[in-house]
Amino acid sequence: MSNTPEPQEEGTMTTQTEPKPKPSAKDYKGRLKPIWCPGCGDYGVLSALLAAFADLEIDPDNLAIVSGIGCSSRLPGFVKSYGFHGLHGRALPVALGVKLGSPHLTVLIVGGDGDGLSIGAGHFPHLARRNVDVTYMMLDNRIYGLTKGQTSPTTPHGIWTKTSPAGVVEFPMNPAALALCYGATFVARGYSSQVKPLKSLIMAAIQHRGFSLLQVLSPCVTFGRKCGFDAIANSIKECPAEHDCRDASSAYQLATDPQNIYSGILYQEERPEFISTLQAMGGARGRELDDGAPEIDVDRLVDQFS
Ligand SMILES: Cc1ncc(C[n+]2csc(CCOP(=O)(O)OP(=O)(O)O)c2C)c(N)n1
Ligand code: SF4
């Protein structure tokens, strides 16, 4: 048997295209190496995210990750995709702009509990109620990490922080419960140490057509040691198998359970997505991209205003 290919008759040559190999998580690694502290929960989140991109076979050219400012907000630099590391608390309006300009992109938002619930809190309800098709991953370490350990809106009541020397006076906000009240169509909770389940949640959130909030408990090992993460391994529980994630009131009960921190998909509903609704109403009628995805005609909009 010879390894030499058979000569082909003139005019009968067929061009065979090699099937593209399945991507792996490392194909999505960015050029920058993470500079988080050793043991930071955000490493687990990044691993789950890269694995989710690989399983979904997302083309990095069709992926945009938008963040604010904070340790967690550094994440876009560590991923091979379009990235925008912007202003503290302003990731959500930037992401809305990205999605409006290029609706064919998969748009992810990554930020901390401080970024999303302090300075940026005003944006969260509006993206949720509009049901903009973006995935918002709030990396909740219950503290301001980047600025070295001040109280955040999710810091537990009573604990000591640098800005609460006598213990935190306020009671913490609950991002999953807030998202439900704001009208989010997908609400889930994961944990950075449970990388495989987190990967599945990220995939489900990205595949959901509409606004997805994924709260990820992700400990700050340097400044958030007193924030109750030691107890998380015992108190985090998967949503009960009988939970119907279309039931908003049972989702709210699970999200606010005083004893257990329920993880998994708490709530999901189908509702028309913002940009396609806008386009159907003629508010953003535009040209089509090569792949048939609609694109807003920015030139036409600029003409209208000039
Ligand atoms: C407009 C503005 N205000 C305040 C700051 C200071 N600042 C930077 S990051 C941050 C909070 C960080 O906490 P969080 O958003 O929870 O992210 P983490 O670092 O914990 O991941 C603050 C207050 C800033 N950079 N810009
Ligand atoms: S300060 Fe905290 S949140 Fe920031 S990188 Fe270090 S461990 Fe992570």
Side-chain angles (χ1 to χ4, degrees):
M1 219 169 105
S2 151
N3 284 333
T4 318
E6 292 285 313
Q8 299 232 353
E9 269 178 47
E10 218 180 312
T12 63
M13 224 162 87
T14 50
T15 45
Q16 285 194 343
T17 45
E18 289 284 317
K20 249 183 153 184
K22 240 181 107 46
S24 72
K26 69 174 176 1
D27 295 322
Y28 293 88
K29 274 191 182 172
R31 274 179 300 170
L32 301 177
K33 278 214 157 107
I35 51 161
W36 293 310
C37 309
C40 175
D42 295 354
Y43 284 101
V45 182
L46 180 63
S47 300
L49 193 62
L50 300 182
F53 292 149
D55 278 12
L56 292 171
E57 299 188 35
I58 294 182
D59 180 349
D61 285 344
N62 287 330
L63 179 61
I65 308 184
V66 181
S67 69
I69 296 290
C71 296
S72 42
S73 291
R74 291 184 187 276
L75 190 139
F78 313 140
V79 181
K80 186 176 159 190
S81 71
Y82 291 109
F84 191 98
H85 186 191
L87 283 175
H88 190 42
R90 302 293 174 243
L92 273 68
V94 171
L96 174 57
V98 171
K99 192 71 187 172
L100 276 166
S102 300
H104 66 288
L105 293 180
T106 296
V107 178
L108 242 96
I109 304 162
V110 180
D113 39 288
D115 192 89
L117 296 176
S118 290
I119 192 167
H123 302 298
F124 185 11
H126 301 293
L127 258 75
R129 75 188 175 92
R130 286 177 182 142
N131 200 27
V132 183
D133 186 17
V134 295
T135 297
Y136 180 19
M137 290 176 60
M138 187 184 288
L139 275 47
D140 182 5
N141 57 13
R142 302 175 171 177
I143 202 91
Y144 286 1
L146 189 75
T147 44
K148 301 183 188 292
Q150 298 85 358
T151 307
S152 97
T154 57
T155 311
H157 171 72
I159 74 138
W160 179 94
T161 76
K162 283 185 181 166
T163 45
S164 314
V168 177
V169 179
E170 300 92 340
F171 285 83
M173 291 166 94
N174 179 329
L178 283 172
L180 287 166
C181 296
Y182 293 156
T185 51
F186 181 103
V187 181
R189 195 187 268 149
Y191 179 31
S192 59
S193 294
Q194 297 175 341
V195 174
K196 270 197 174 171
L198 181 58
K199 179 192 82 171
S200 306
L201 291 175
I202 295 171
M203 289 172 70
I206 291 175
Q207 284 171 319
H208 176 74
R209 193 152 160 69
F211 183 84
S212 314
L213 180 272
L214 175 53
Q215 176 195 2
V216 187
L217 295 156
S218 179
C220 169
V221 292
T222 305
F223 301 107
R225 284 199 176 276
K226 295 188 170 69
C227 289
F229 284 101
D230 293 347
I232 279 201
N234 299 325
S235 50
I236 197 146
K237 285 202 170 75
E238 259 185 63
C239 285
E242 66 276 12
H243 170 56
D244 177 359
C245 61
R246 292 164 304 178
D247 180 344
S249 67
S250 118
Y252 189 82
Q253 274 178 10
L254 291 177
T256 55
D257 189 281
Q259 256 82 49
N260 304 297
I261 302 174
Y262 283 108
S263 65
I265 301 176
L266 297 165
Y267 186 69
Q268 185 163 22
E269 77 165 278
E270 296 299 321
R271 191 164 8 108
E273 182 274 328
F274 182 66
I275 294 174
S276 44
T277 308
L278 205 60
Q279 284 170 335
M281 291 165 76
R285 201 178 295 123
R287 59 181 178 238
E288 292 205 331
L289 297 171
D290 293 344
D291 62 3
E295 186 190 46
I296 290 162
D297 189 340
V298 176
D299 298 338
R300 191 177 64 89
L301 288 175
V302 171
D303 284 348
Q304 280 178 355
F305 284 98
S306 56

